[in-house]
Amino acid sequence: MDYNFKDIEQKWQDYWRKNKTYKVDIDKNKPKYYVLDMFPYPSGAGLHVGHPLGYIASDIYSRYKRLNGFNVLHPMGYDAFGLPAEQYAIQTGQHPAITTDKNIKRYREQLDKIGFSYDWDREFRTCDPKYYKWTQWAFIKMFKHWYNNKTQKAEPIENLIAEFERNGNLEVDAACSEVKKFTAAEWKAMSEKEQQEVLLAYRLAYLADVMVNWCPALGTVLANDEVKEGVSIRGGHPVEQRKMRQWCLRISAYAERLLNDLEELDWTDSLKEIQRNWIGKSEGAEVWFRVEGSERKILIFTTRPDTIYGATFMVLAPESELVDELTTPEYAEKMEQYRQEVKRKTERERMAEARKVTGQFTGSYAINPFTNERIPIWVSEYVLAGYGTGAIMAVPAHDSRDFAFAKTFGLPIIQTVIRPGEQPTNPDSWTESYDSKEGVVINSPLINGLEVKEAISKICEVIESRGLGKRKINYRLRDAIFSRQRYWGEPFPIYYKDGIPYPLDEDKLPLELPEVDAYLPTEKGEPPLGRAKNWHTPEGYPYELSTMPGFAGSSAYYLRYMDPHNDNALVSPEANQYWENVDLYIGGTEHAVGHLIYSRYWNKFLYDLGYVCKNEPFKKLINQGMIQGRSNFVYRIKGTNTFVSYNLKDNYDVTPIHVDVNIVSNDILDIDAFRKWRPEFENAEFILEDGKYVCGWAIEKMSKSMWNVVNPDTIVENYGADTLRIYEMFLGPIEQSKPWDTNGIDGVHKFLRKFWRLFHNSNNEFEVSNDEPSDKELKVLHKTIKKVTEDIEKFSFNTGVSAFMICVNELTDLKCNKRAILEPLTVLIAPYAPHIAEELWHQLGHENSVTIASWPEFNEKYIKESTFTCPISFNGKTRFTLELPINLKPNEVEELVLADENTKKYLGDKKPVKVIVVPNKIVNIVVK
């Protein structure tokens, strides 16, 4: 019998499970290596073939490092809280825990079939109270700490209280919300409630009134990535901007550290740039603009104070509290309509739609503090409330958004910067704003003639000396909204006393999610936890009704894997000091900002408190690309139930219809399966070509709606897990997106069968020789060792597969079955195809698992060429080639060439005048 992958793979998966082959413990005699996949959410649909791409890559690398003597931590668990399970609970009444458990079992079953080297003893799910106890613990720690800008770290709130009692907040430099200055005496005179409200403005976990994406139909706040084009991605329900009291994490306190520490990470430059842009550091000045006819002043932040003479209007964010105050009665109705329109968009969508110009005039004017000109105050969606001050001075000559706005609404444009050698032109004729990063300042009396950089410094001095404002560093990074009005999430370990939040004692954790009679908001509009009975402390103080967001449980999960069964700490000092942080992190680009920013913040906070030993969580990060679907189509003649084959469709008026790729093979439709697929196709008729129905195809996103989802279980059943693993790597570079094409998988399966036959004779009997290998065989082996090792180290898994294929072809041609060649080759292929490697390793006589073998050592001497093919020319024309030993002396080469029969044939009765020898390259014989 040939290579029986089904029996082999089941056999070794059972062996690994029974013997806990991949279980790992602290071993100080070995260097550690921590490989982690981004936390999967277990959806009801299970895995499709695109999901394991990153998992296979990380598994190959984990096995490779283990074979190189490393103690490898490679865990897996589940990010189990989420909106889909809650929505299913709302629709069916089934508890989300039941749905989640079912989905996890399905995921685990699929993962086991692919043969991953996970230490399943470390498995956990974020919805387990034993796990979320530590999420609640971290939240309490954040609640009890503030960020000291002087020491650039988090410190206990008790230190801050002690400072208030000594000096008030007059000397405090903290990352905090807006707080009035007070003395020690004023602090002591405050009531407990007043003091707690002040402290809330300093805490790293705090309550605040913030603008959120509110979905009335779902009854909850949504993250930006859960909203698209004004509706929820889940269910397509309308979403609006609403100000609500929410828990927040003061991530912005860590902005500078998050920015600076990117330099020490082995991440791609593009990913680092995405993070830099998200953090968005900018240096400039805050300036006050007086509102005409009022004592009111508007504070703006600008990175280009040198262009202030060109500020011809102001723009407020639609959410600004100043809008109501500054909108005059004749514009009130239009302003309300405009703000309602903007409420339906997320901030991310507003930023993305920068080219679409919308706005509304308030009817009020401000005074430019340098020109003393009155300038109109507008409201527009392109100004965001959370960045800077939520108000801008608009300089249309030198800002593209301001320019588009001015052109749309007929506002003045004044040029204030010009490049050397150019003359000013009339801005009315411009089609775009003028690049002002470099140049000389004009139309600005106090700074005319200065270079831009010098002008910025000079105008900042004037702004500060006149009391108009001050220099300022700003960040785009916002504090994270941490509340969700859902049931299926971590409960906050918070209770309320006189409306003020207080944390539970840590020995009361975990605060477990209570049972409720329904997963909907209460009749009063409270979150679902408002339905829970006795949801209060033993003293009767009510608990928080919101739950934590999806990213709460995934922000420190990498630490818990180090010590998952510790009931006394998130991670013990011993475990953390050994495993330190993640050496290799693999996941999708969709987490380039959110998850990675949150995890980095969480880690830095715990680092400040001394709970972790490393400042960053993930040393090296690789973003795998997406595996796209290869869709198939059938073509129905309009008004009929007749389907015409692909190459005949242009002769008819047809409608293309997606067809399930699982009833198509090599683009040929299984007609019987198609008729059974859907009731309306039971009596379908077909116009065939050559007796077959040929389907069309296209590359699209893999999704159920396009019927192009390929279940890995099907591939494993038909071809085996090792074939799936190798094929996914063979599709192309790990970082790139590439289409799935089941048509190509047969070639990989044939390769594995050919590899198997190196060890077996024509009767499928194991037959390996102990004879000494030839030089050619050793050359093939060591060439492959070198190539595969280099490719794994570079994460070029696709070219590694190509090297294996070349190797097997060459060894087959050499009829090689030598143990000295095949044994190291078995170890070499084990990371890619662990099942067949394990079977062959034991057939070779080994009792231990191939996973604890040693990686083959490359020896360069075996790939050094001992001969070379030398072209032999006569009067400059090549006549034949001769295989010659390398590094012969010129006189020895000449002697061998002249003695060759081919040379005698071409010379005839002539004598060579001269023999020119270029060592190891060419020989030219000069004849007259």
Side-chain angles (χ1 to χ4, degrees), residues 840-872:
L840 293 172
W841 186 249
H842 282 74
Q843 288 188 12
L844 285 162
H846 299 278
E847 294 183 1
N848 290 326
S849 169
V850 72
T851 61
I852 58 172
S854 294
W855 189 252
E857 287 188 24
F858 166 65
N859 191 328
E860 191 172 2
K861 76 176 183 180
Y862 293 119
I863 67 167
K864 282 185 176 178
E865 302 289 351
S866 57
T867 64
F868 80 104
T869 302
C870 181
I872 310 299

Side-chain angles (χ1 to χ4, degrees), residues 518-558:
Y519 306 103
L520 295 166
T522 67
E523 289 73 12
K524 297 178 183 177
E526 297 171 324
L529 291 190
R531 295 176 173 274
K533 295 178 180 178
N534 303 316
W535 190 237
H536 53 69
T537 67
E539 298 78 19
Y541 297 121
Y543 289 131
E544 169 65 58
L545 298 182
S546 293
T547 53
M548 297 185 194
F551 70 82
S554 61
S555 291
Y557 76 110
Y558 56 93

Side-chain angles (χ1 to χ4, degrees), residues 231-291:
V231 298
S232 63
I233 290 176
R234 184 79 181 178
H237 304 295
V239 175
E240 63 184 46
Q241 294 284 298
R242 181 184 291 186
K243 184 167 280 191
M244 295 179 67
R245 193 146 182 86
Q246 301 282 288
W247 282 102
C248 300
L249 301 184
R250 209 177 298 278
I251 292 177
S252 60
Y254 285 80
E256 189 67 18
R257 285 168 61 182
L258 289 167
L259 189 65
N260 292 338
D261 293 345
L262 283 170
E263 300 306 317
E264 67 186 63
L265 300 176
D266 185 8
W267 296 7
T268 62
D269 290 340
S270 60
L271 182 56
K272 287 182 181 181
E273 193 60 25
I274 290 171
Q275 290 241 322
R276 288 189 192 100
N277 291 337
W278 194 257
I279 296 165
K281 181 178 181 179
S282 53
E283 299 181 33
E286 285 185 336
V287 186
W288 290 99
F289 280 64
R290 181 171 57 82
V291 176

Side-chain angles (χ1 to χ4, degrees), residues 140-146 155-158 203 503 506:
I140 289 174
K141 292 296 183 187
M142 292 177 203
F143 184 84
K144 291 182 174 181
H145 283 77
W146 64 292
E155 296 184 0
I157 205 77
E158 289 78 13
R203 297 183 189 276
E506 291 175 18

Side-chain angles (χ1 to χ4, degrees), residues 125 127-134 510 512 560 564 566-567:
R125 56 188 71 177
C127 61
D128 184 342
K130 290 180 181 177
Y131 178 85
Y132 68 67
K133 166 185 178 178
W134 299 108
E512 295 194 24
R560 190 61 179 165
N566 190 334
D567 293 330

Side-chain angles (χ1 to χ4, degrees), residues 40 107 136 176 204 273 289 327 427 496 617 650 666 719 807 809 844:
Y107 255 59
Q136 294 174 336
C176 60
L204 284 173
E273 193 60 25
F289 280 64
T327 301
Y496 288 88
D650 291 344
N666 289 319
Y719 297 97
C807 171
N809 286 339
L844 285 162

Side-chain angles (χ1 to χ4, degrees), residues 893-913:
V893 171
E894 181 178 336
E895 186 178 328
L896 283 171
V897 170
L898 292 177
D900 189 83
E901 290 300 319
N902 283 308
T903 304
K904 293 175 182 177
K905 181 178 80 172
Y906 282 104
L907 280 176
D909 56 1
K910 297 176 183 176
K911 297 281 185 183
V913 175

